[in-house]
Amino acid sequence: MLKVDTEKCTGCGECEEVCTFEAICVQDDVAVVDQDACTLCGICVDGCPEGALEFHGKEILLATDLNSWKGVWVVAECRREILVPVTLELLAKSRGLADELGTEVTAVLMGHEIESRAQELISYGADRVLVIDHPELATFTDEVYGNILTDLARKERPEIILAGATAMGRSYIPRVATILKTGLTADCTGLDIRAEDRALLQTRPAFGGNLLATIVCPGHRPQMATVRPHVMRANTPDPGRKGDVIRVLPEEDLLSHRVQVLESVKEQAEGPNLSEADVIVTAGRGFEQEKNVNLARELADLLGGTVGATRAAVDAGWLPGRTQIGQTGVTVSPKLYVACGVSGAIQHIVGMQGSEIIVAINKDAEAPIFDVATYGLVGDVKEILPLLIRNIRKERGL
Amino acid sequence: MTQVNYFLTEEQQMIVDLAWQIAVEKIIPVRAKLDEAEEFPWDIMKDMAQADLFGLYIPEEYGGFAKGCFENCLAVEQLAYGCIAVTTTFAASALGGYPILLFGSDEQKARYLPDITSGKRLVAFGLTEANAGSDAARIQTTAVEDGDDWIINGTKQWITSGGEAEIYTIITMTNRNKGARGATAFILEKGDPGFSFGKKERKMGLNASSTRELVFNECRIPKDRMLGKKGQGFIIAMRTLDLARPGIGAMAVGLAQAALDEAVKYARQRIQFDQPIISFQAIQHMLADMATRIEASRALVYSVARTIDAGANDVAKLSAMAKLFATDMAMQVTTDAVQILGGYGYMKSYPVEKMMRDAKVLQIYEGTNQIMRNVIGKALNKEYAKK
Amino acid sequence: MNIVVCIKQVPDAKTVRFDTEKGTLVREGVEAVINPFDFHALEAGLQMRDTYGGEVTVLSMGPPQAENALREALSLGADKGILLSDRAFAGADTLATTYTLAKAIEKLGPVDLVLCGKQAIDGDTAQVGPGLAVRLGLPHVTCVSALSVLDDGKTMHLRRVNEDGYDMLELEMPALLTVLASLNTSRLPSLKGKMRARKADIPVWDAQKLGAEPGRIGLAGSATQVVSTSLPTFEARQEMLEGSAEEQVEALVFRFKEAGIL
């Protein structure tokens, strides 16, 4: 529990300022803690200029000799034998982190008949690639991938392990962290090194993107994080870059698994892939009825783009779940983003704010979507879109 | 802001919460689609069944909750906030079920009430005919005894849930010479030989409810389907309607509340002459009247329902008042809501035009509001004659 | 079939507000609700029980008021609710949370199926499910969007959604699944359920009752620590186009031409 040292406390109110949960306030010049509201997040402890706040009952776990863990690992992910973009984004980020730490970047490449990808990983920034190639790894299972990564981490002791916050990464990386009894920060959007103690500062959105939290893993190694795709930028590959490729044969007992993959099905998304599209027209609640969504499709076709959806449009059954943009859907950053009948809940905005030009059409002039829009049009999408479609056709001479 | 405290019990509040959840989660998202497609809301009926709402008024021995008219009004009011077409289908089931509950034999109750409670079978009530609306004594559907059976001939008109319901309680003439005292009630089942349905009516509103003819052509049913005694039919109908009419009032309150909410929401965000239109007194006064009338209607409906539940006899006048006042109010409030939304209010993409179309039926069905005034007037005459 | 469903009480997204000056969450007026994904985990459990018999136990770790979430789960049809609550559980990250939940599930005895929502909408980590599976020695599958049980009553066929489609998987119970909203439609509470839930006894298990080691629960058992929070900032660059619908559309088309889009 959080205790206030009343001798040291000056009642400056710093703790009250920083508390996210309104759990501490200054009364009669001394900080008072509402123990029911306090979540023991520790922000105030670090923020107190007098050192007057401390936790009681916390055991400081320094289970391992922190300094014996070295190196930054990137867990590579192949989808249908091709490296996914987030792996390349992570290599660029790791490169920076490793340089700051004065250590090397190791990529872990698991799969079957994927060794040719090793050089690609090096060209994007890896110094070393651990290749684990085995027929059992041809299809992904949480247990086998998790067992092998755990085993490698125990043997090689990296200080940081990063993986993509993909369906696969978010499924098996938590297994690894739990077995290693270390911390794992999910779905990070920012990574940095704290110079004084080499700690990895992991920034991630919480509360549906409304809040950004920076998290550290002080007493455990490795420091592990999954990282949101399309947030960081990959480097331009250098085909001439040199590195070590190390083949590792997995031990048999790591290869047993209880989940069998019967079939892997690729589903064709509507139009171009959302995360790669240059133009996205997103349909929100303002369409009111399923048939009106065709207006969004028509505009997307005209602009050579694809259709995205808000959670409301998906919940209403107008568009499939894979087209959902935002916190619980896909993050996108197209050149042009047209938000139609989208109110702009923060959960949606965090998934599209990186777009170059944002056009918002909404009948409510107060809708928060206009706060992030490059151009705002106030009106009913059912009235505006047909006009817009007609004018664009006219411009094109159609 | 303080709301009127109706001192609901914890269980009554549960019923309100449950019905509200259905209105918000299940009814509102689909009401426009159901209205446009004139589609019967089977999915929502299943949701209501799952939530146990069909058993509210049915005794515990048949799986129900033994609640009264008041609890039924609470549920109906919340559901009507979503859509009164859907709610009418729900309420029609109580209208068809009350005669069995009030006048059925133990055997009939055991046979029908558990299925009604569980929502497995919907019930409908058949009184109206082409030539017998407000004047129920002009019923022309006949029932004639034939050995161990009854033979029914005739046509019932505008029967809510006709064709969708499995069980029907209908009023027939068994002795025309006795007029209203010659009416007898029966329980019909879908599939009885000679029982068929006419075409589905197309209506001004209330489109998600099914309204059809019940056609009886030499329809033969066993003796044990007779409900109550011979000649008791008219009393059964009137007693049933006395119990059901506060529910129509509650429906009106729920509908009007929905219209008011839309109107206030719109008036707060619609900018004209550089200010939200709610800042104009012309609008404020309309909204103030709407809100006040709704609250007055709610208070009347609740009080009448509680009076009925307290065991009052001869509640025809009070029931009629609750229905009359609340439904006239709902017509006015929904009309005003359309007016406040202006051109948008008249458009199908906003919900208030449907509310206004739907509201009209409340002044017509389960006894027109003119008949309600007759009932009240007659009762007054009787009351003052005794003084 | 013994089924355990883990649920979390979270702030209702509709009532959460943020203090933009301080960069903090405003607690006042925030309503607590069951995490939306967890409703679908519960529904999956209830459907299993309705088909194969057995019992659905709902487990939640949280402050005393999380009891309300458990009562709501009971009103939907769960058989039993257990609240894991202790001051010492506070401040837990996913490592400490999975330890605590695992201790409780072990105490319940053998289970066939543990169900969790895909993720909680406050923390959004999606880590408790897989971590808990490891603690319990179970295989797990995340992001389940379809589920069927074969005739033997213990082999499951599952659809796991990923970025470009889905995998069809087979595994035998016991297992842990995290489910998507698209798996099912959550049922409504029933009046009977609500009445039963109101009166139900909900045991509260604290650290001592679980036999949990003090150094592995709550803040003490957490490997990660929050060092700061802030509000995301959005670039303000808006231009509201003016005039009638026609005029606004014309202005937009003009800007599209300027930007080389047309």
Short mmCIF file of all heavy atoms in Angstrom, two decimals, chain C residues 104-130:
data_model
loop_
_atom_site.label_atom_id
_atom_site.label_comp_id
_atom_site.label_asym_id
_atom_site.label_seq_id
_atom_site.Cartn_x
_atom_site.Cartn_y
_atom_site.Cartn_z
N ALA C 104 -6.58 -19.41 -8.19
CA ALA C 104 -8.02 -19.58 -7.94
C ALA C 104 -8.57 -20.76 -8.73
O ALA C 104 -9.36 -21.56 -8.22
CB ALA C 104 -8.76 -18.30 -8.30
N ILE C 105 -8.15 -20.88 -9.99
CA ILE C 105 -8.69 -21.97 -10.82
C ILE C 105 -8.20 -23.32 -10.30
O ILE C 105 -8.95 -24.30 -10.26
CB ILE C 105 -8.33 -21.74 -12.31
CG1 ILE C 105 -9.07 -20.48 -12.80
CG2 ILE C 105 -8.70 -22.94 -13.16
CD1 ILE C 105 -8.69 -20.02 -14.19
N GLU C 106 -6.95 -23.36 -9.86
CA GLU C 106 -6.43 -24.61 -9.27
C GLU C 106 -7.25 -24.99 -8.03
O GLU C 106 -7.54 -26.16 -7.79
CB GLU C 106 -4.95 -24.45 -8.89
CG GLU C 106 -4.04 -24.58 -10.10
CD GLU C 106 -2.66 -23.98 -9.86
OE1 GLU C 106 -2.33 -23.66 -8.69
OE2 GLU C 106 -1.93 -23.81 -10.86
N LYS C 107 -7.64 -23.99 -7.29
CA LYS C 107 -8.43 -24.24 -6.08
C LYS C 107 -9.82 -24.78 -6.41
O LYS C 107 -10.40 -25.55 -5.64
CB LYS C 107 -8.56 -22.91 -5.30
CG LYS C 107 -9.07 -23.04 -3.89
CD LYS C 107 -9.00 -21.66 -3.22
CE LYS C 107 -9.95 -21.55 -2.05
NZ LYS C 107 -9.68 -22.48 -0.96
N LEU C 108 -10.32 -24.40 -7.58
CA LEU C 108 -11.65 -24.88 -7.98
C LEU C 108 -11.65 -26.35 -8.36
O LEU C 108 -12.70 -26.98 -8.44
CB LEU C 108 -12.15 -24.07 -9.19
CG LEU C 108 -12.64 -22.65 -8.93
CD1 LEU C 108 -12.88 -21.92 -10.25
CD2 LEU C 108 -13.91 -22.67 -8.10
N GLY C 109 -10.46 -26.89 -8.65
CA GLY C 109 -10.40 -28.29 -9.06
C GLY C 109 -10.28 -28.41 -10.56
O GLY C 109 -10.13 -27.40 -11.26
N PRO C 110 -10.35 -29.63 -11.09
CA PRO C 110 -10.11 -29.83 -12.52
C PRO C 110 -11.12 -29.08 -13.39
O PRO C 110 -12.31 -29.08 -13.06
CB PRO C 110 -10.27 -31.35 -12.72
CG PRO C 110 -10.38 -31.93 -11.36
CD PRO C 110 -10.72 -30.86 -10.40
N VAL C 111 -10.64 -28.43 -14.44
CA VAL C 111 -11.54 -27.74 -15.36
C VAL C 111 -11.36 -28.30 -16.76
O VAL C 111 -10.29 -28.81 -17.11
CB VAL C 111 -11.29 -26.22 -15.42
CG1 VAL C 111 -11.64 -25.57 -14.10
CG2 VAL C 111 -9.87 -25.91 -15.81
N ASP C 112 -12.41 -28.22 -17.55
CA ASP C 112 -12.34 -28.66 -18.94
C ASP C 112 -12.04 -27.50 -19.87
O ASP C 112 -11.39 -27.66 -20.89
CB ASP C 112 -13.68 -29.29 -19.33
CG ASP C 112 -13.97 -30.50 -18.48
OD1 ASP C 112 -13.25 -31.49 -18.63
OD2 ASP C 112 -14.89 -30.44 -17.64
N LEU C 113 -12.57 -26.34 -19.51
CA LEU C 113 -12.44 -25.22 -20.43
C LEU C 113 -12.35 -23.92 -19.64
O LEU C 113 -13.14 -23.68 -18.74
CB LEU C 113 -13.69 -25.19 -21.34
CG LEU C 113 -13.63 -24.34 -22.59
CD1 LEU C 113 -12.48 -24.76 -23.49
CD2 LEU C 113 -14.96 -24.45 -23.35
N VAL C 114 -11.34 -23.11 -20.00
CA VAL C 114 -11.24 -21.77 -19.44
C VAL C 114 -11.46 -20.79 -20.58
O VAL C 114 -10.84 -20.92 -21.64
CB VAL C 114 -9.86 -21.52 -18.78
CG1 VAL C 114 -9.79 -20.12 -18.19
CG2 VAL C 114 -9.58 -22.57 -17.72
N LEU C 115 -12.37 -19.84 -20.38
CA LEU C 115 -12.70 -18.90 -21.44
C LEU C 115 -12.44 -17.47 -20.99
O LEU C 115 -12.76 -17.09 -19.86
CB LEU C 115 -14.18 -19.03 -21.82
CG LEU C 115 -14.59 -20.37 -22.44
CD1 LEU C 115 -16.09 -20.58 -22.35
CD2 LEU C 115 -14.14 -20.42 -23.89
N CYS C 116 -11.83 -16.68 -21.88
CA CYS C 116 -11.58 -15.27 -21.62
C CYS C 116 -12.00 -14.49 -22.86
O CYS C 116 -12.03 -15.02 -23.96
CB CYS C 116 -10.10 -14.98 -21.40
SG CYS C 116 -9.32 -15.97 -20.12
N GLY C 117 -12.29 -13.19 -22.67
CA GLY C 117 -12.49 -12.32 -23.82
C GLY C 117 -11.15 -12.09 -24.50
O GLY C 117 -10.10 -12.33 -23.92
N LYS C 118 -11.18 -11.62 -25.73
CA LYS C 118 -9.95 -11.39 -26.49
C LYS C 118 -9.01 -10.45 -25.75
O LYS C 118 -7.82 -10.67 -25.67
CB LYS C 118 -10.31 -10.80 -27.85
CG LYS C 118 -9.10 -10.47 -28.71
CD LYS C 118 -9.50 -9.48 -29.79
CE LYS C 118 -8.28 -8.96 -30.54
NZ LYS C 118 -8.60 -7.69 -31.19
N GLN C 119 -9.57 -9.39 -25.18
CA GLN C 119 -8.78 -8.45 -24.41
C GLN C 119 -9.72 -7.57 -23.61
O GLN C 119 -10.92 -7.54 -23.89
CB GLN C 119 -7.92 -7.57 -25.34
CG GLN C 119 -8.71 -6.62 -26.23
CD GLN C 119 -7.86 -6.08 -27.36
OE1 GLN C 119 -7.34 -6.82 -28.19
NE2 GLN C 119 -7.72 -4.77 -27.39
N ALA C 120 -9.18 -6.88 -22.61
CA ALA C 120 -10.01 -5.94 -21.85
C ALA C 120 -9.89 -4.58 -22.50
O ALA C 120 -8.81 -4.21 -22.97
CB ALA C 120 -9.53 -5.88 -20.40
N ILE C 121 -10.97 -3.83 -22.53
CA ILE C 121 -10.94 -2.56 -23.26
C ILE C 121 -10.24 -1.44 -22.49
O ILE C 121 -10.04 -0.36 -23.02
CB ILE C 121 -12.35 -2.08 -23.67
CG1 ILE C 121 -13.25 -1.94 -22.44
CG2 ILE C 121 -12.97 -3.01 -24.69
CD1 ILE C 121 -14.39 -0.99 -22.65
N ASP C 122 -9.88 -1.67 -21.23
CA ASP C 122 -9.12 -0.62 -20.55
C ASP C 122 -7.62 -0.82 -20.77
O ASP C 122 -6.93 0.06 -21.24
CB ASP C 122 -9.48 -0.52 -19.06
CG ASP C 122 -9.37 -1.84 -18.32
OD1 ASP C 122 -9.17 -2.89 -18.97
OD2 ASP C 122 -9.47 -1.83 -17.08
N GLY C 123 -7.11 -2.01 -20.46
CA GLY C 123 -5.69 -2.26 -20.63
C GLY C 123 -5.33 -2.63 -22.06
O GLY C 123 -4.24 -2.33 -22.54
N ASP C 124 -6.25 -3.28 -22.77
CA ASP C 124 -6.00 -3.70 -24.16
C ASP C 124 -4.76 -4.58 -24.30
O ASP C 124 -4.10 -4.54 -25.34
CB ASP C 124 -5.83 -2.49 -25.09
CG ASP C 124 -7.15 -1.81 -25.40
OD1 ASP C 124 -8.14 -2.52 -25.63
OD2 ASP C 124 -7.19 -0.57 -25.42
N THR C 125 -4.37 -5.36 -23.29
CA THR C 125 -3.12 -6.12 -23.45
C THR C 125 -3.33 -7.43 -24.19
O THR C 125 -2.44 -7.88 -24.89
CB THR C 125 -2.46 -6.45 -22.09
OG1 THR C 125 -3.20 -7.48 -21.44
CG2 THR C 125 -2.34 -5.23 -21.21
N ALA C 126 -4.45 -8.10 -23.99
CA ALA C 126 -4.71 -9.41 -24.59
C ALA C 126 -3.70 -10.45 -24.10
O ALA C 126 -3.47 -11.45 -24.78
CB ALA C 126 -4.71 -9.33 -26.12
N GLN C 127 -3.09 -10.22 -22.95
CA GLN C 127 -2.03 -11.12 -22.48
C GLN C 127 -2.46 -12.07 -21.38
O GLN C 127 -1.78 -13.06 -21.13
CB GLN C 127 -0.85 -10.28 -21.98
CG GLN C 127 -0.12 -9.60 -23.12
CD GLN C 127 0.99 -8.67 -22.71
OE1 GLN C 127 1.62 -8.11 -23.58
NE2 GLN C 127 1.23 -8.47 -21.42
N VAL C 128 -3.57 -11.74 -20.72
CA VAL C 128 -3.94 -12.57 -19.57
C VAL C 128 -4.32 -13.99 -20.01
O VAL C 128 -3.91 -14.96 -19.38
CB VAL C 128 -5.08 -11.90 -18.75
CG1 VAL C 128 -5.68 -12.87 -17.75
CG2 VAL C 128 -4.53 -10.68 -18.02
N GLY C 129 -5.06 -14.11 -21.10
CA GLY C 129 -5.48 -15.44 -21.57
C GLY C 129 -4.30 -16.37 -21.82
O GLY C 129 -4.16 -17.41 -21.15
N PRO C 130 -3.40 -16.00 -22.75
CA PRO C 130 -2.26 -16.88 -23.02
C PRO C 130 -1.38 -17.12 -21.78
O PRO C 130 -0.90 -18.24 -21.57
CB PRO C 130 -1.48 -16.12 -24.10
CG PRO C 130 -2.47 -15.23 -24.75
CD PRO C 130 -3.47 -14.87 -23.69
#
